[in-house]
Amino acid sequence: MVLFTEKDPLKKVLSDKRNKSLNVAGNYKLGFVPTMGALHNGHLSLVQKAVAENDTVVVSIFVNPTQFNNTADLKKYPRNLEKDLALLEGFQKDLIVFIPEVADLYGQNIISNSYDFGSLENEMEGKHRTGHFDGVGTVLSKFFQIINPDRAYFGEKDFQQLQIVKKLVSIENFPTEIVGCPILREENGLAMSSRNQRLSDKQFKNASIIYKTLMEVREKFEKTSIDQLNQMVAERFLQNPDIKLEYFEIANENTLKTTTHKNGTVNYRAFIAAYVGEVRLIDNMPLN
Ligand code: AMP
């Protein structure tokens, strides 16, 4: 494992590696896994897949200020660099860890580009976290320009982000293939998240209602109207006063447009955002 904290030396090493390998075998692949650190097995599953599919893998650890619309959330975001590095040390492959400073990526201008992600940005996370996806697009665009990966790996845990990144790549004409990876869960079904570290034992236990409700929606989806499902979910959360539902949506998996009526040819997914105390959690599940 090699560590970089500045973009220029990283760029140089990556371009040397590519040139050298192209001269020898001609089929060199560079994989990229962007993270905000506080790594868990969900992150590591992305790294594992990237390592299996590429010659070199870059993992970035960077808590990106422009994607936080809430300064308290940014401040309290879990950080544990030492443990992260120990976890990444476990991968034998040609692994590069990139841990830039905010100034190295943004200079003195910590602002987002403004993207037109079409309908993708007006729903769910886009609606509830103003500017979030412009921040995500901005930082990924910076990373993609520095690293120029052949493949980049993203979790379906942030399904809307995954769709936004596919759109970003087409807007910016990056030659990068975006690879979606399945959600890893805790034993009680709760989607793994760096934010779970902030939950008390009781909250952690209670938070499994998110997964249980999504499973119930999935089981009932075929024979139940969307209206009834919306109502059922609202009731489930009302029964659990420790968790506040921010939104529940059933949406077209490709357009992410929220739906009120099913159409047989469309793939649907259910999305939840909820507050457990001060901690905001999201999850989603395919329905058909
Ligand atoms: P984050 O550090 O939260 O920005 O996440 C970095 C990457 O890991 C994103 O592509 C996430 O979607 C992915 N990820 C986070 N949690 C999980 C999980 N439980 N299962 C799979 N991927 C995940």
Side-chain angles (χ1 to χ4, degrees):
M1 185 177 82
V2 191
L3 214 74
F4 286 85
T5 54
E6 287 174 20
K7 63 181 177 217
D8 290 334
L10 172 64
K11 262 180 166 169
K12 165 96 179 65
V13 162
L14 290 178
S15 111
D16 287 353
K17 272 183 190 291
R18 194 181 285 279
N19 288 337
K20 199 167 137 204
S21 305
L22 284 178
N23 290 338
V24 181
N27 196 23
Y28 176 78
K29 294 290 177 204
L30 172 61
F32 175 42
V33 184
T35 82
M36 297 204 298
L39 300 181
H40 50 69
N41 284 340
H43 295 116
L44 298 183
S45 71
L46 270 58
V47 179
Q48 185 74 60
K49 189 165 164 60
V51 159
E53 295 177 353
N54 298 278
D55 299 287
T56 304
V57 172
V58 178
V59 179
S60 64
I61 299 178
F62 181 68
V63 182
N64 173 37
T66 61
Q67 73 188 68
F68 285 80
N69 60 329
N70 176 332
T71 33
D73 191 27
L74 172 61
K75 250 191 192 157
K76 286 188 184 160
Y77 196 84
R79 290 161 170 90
N80 198 340
L81 192 53
E82 224 168 280
K83 186 172 160 225
D84 290 349
L85 294 178
L87 287 170
L88 293 174
E89 194 78 68
F91 290 90
Q92 298 301 318
K93 197 65 176 272
D94 187 1
L95 199 72
I96 291 178
V97 185
F98 183 34
I99 314 174
E101 293 288 334
V102 173
D104 196 39
L105 288 190
Y106 283 94
Q108 295 311 310
N109 266 347
I110 307 173
I111 49 168
S112 295
N113 307 331
S114 181
Y115 289 100
D116 180 2
F117 294 121
S119 64
L120 292 177
E121 70 185 29
N122 299 324
E123 311 284 342
M124 302 182 288
E125 293 304 283
K127 189 152 73 185
H128 291 270
R129 302 182 70 187
T130 312
H132 172 66
F133 287 125
D134 277 341
V136 169
T138 302
V139 77
L140 288 176
S141 178
K142 289 176 189 295
F143 275 131
F144 283 11
Q145 282 169 45
I146 296 166
I147 295 164
N148 191 21
D150 298 292
R151 304 188 182 103
Y153 295 77
F154 292 85
E156 289 185 351
K157 153 87 171 26
D158 301 279
F159 193 84
Q160 191 172 9
Q161 169 175 278
L162 172 62
Q163 301 294 51
I164 289 267
V165 177
K166 288 181 182 164
K167 180 91 181 174
L168 174 77
V169 163
S170 82
I171 292 173
E172 300 263 31
N173 259 320
F174 291 127
T176 305
E177 178 194 347
I178 302 303
V179 184
C181 306
I183 302 174
L184 257 75
R185 298 181 177 282
E186 304 288 352
E187 253 172 45
N188 69 357
L190 177 64
M192 288 182 179
S193 165
S194 305
R195 290 189 159 91
N196 293 353
Q197 287 184 20
R198 294 179 56 203
L199 302 174
S200 69
D201 289 350
K202 183 169 170 239
Q203 286 174 325
F204 183 90
K205 227 168 129 194
N206 270 339
S208 67
I209 183 188
I210 299 172
Y211 171 72
K212 287 182 186 138
T213 307
L214 287 170
M215 285 296 280
E216 196 179 354
V217 170
R218 179 148 107 161
E219 273 156 31
K220 295 190 169 151
F221 181 69
E222 217 173 286
K223 296 191 177 134
T224 316
S225 75
I226 304 250
D227 259 1
Q228 284 170 317
L229 290 170
N230 287 339
Q231 217 173 327
M232 179 192 91
V233 171
E235 277 164 19
R236 294 288 175 277
F237 277 85
L238 281 177
Q239 285 159 14
N240 194 328
D242 295 336
I243 303 192
K244 199 168 144 267
L245 182 66
E246 183 175 59
Y247 64 74
F248 167 74
E249 309 272 12
I250 293 177
N252 177 318
E253 194 170 89
N254 295 314
T255 63
L256 296 186
K257 283 221 170 85
T258 302
T259 190
T260 49
H261 291 94
K262 288 179 245 176
N263 170 341
T265 61
V266 171
N267 283 335
Y268 292 104
R269 208 168 255 264
F271 296 83
I272 283 182
Y275 279 92
V276 184
E278 283 183 356
V279 183
R280 186 174 183 277
L281 300 176
I282 59 170
D283 200 351
N284 68 84
M285 191 170 286
L287 297 177
N288 57 337

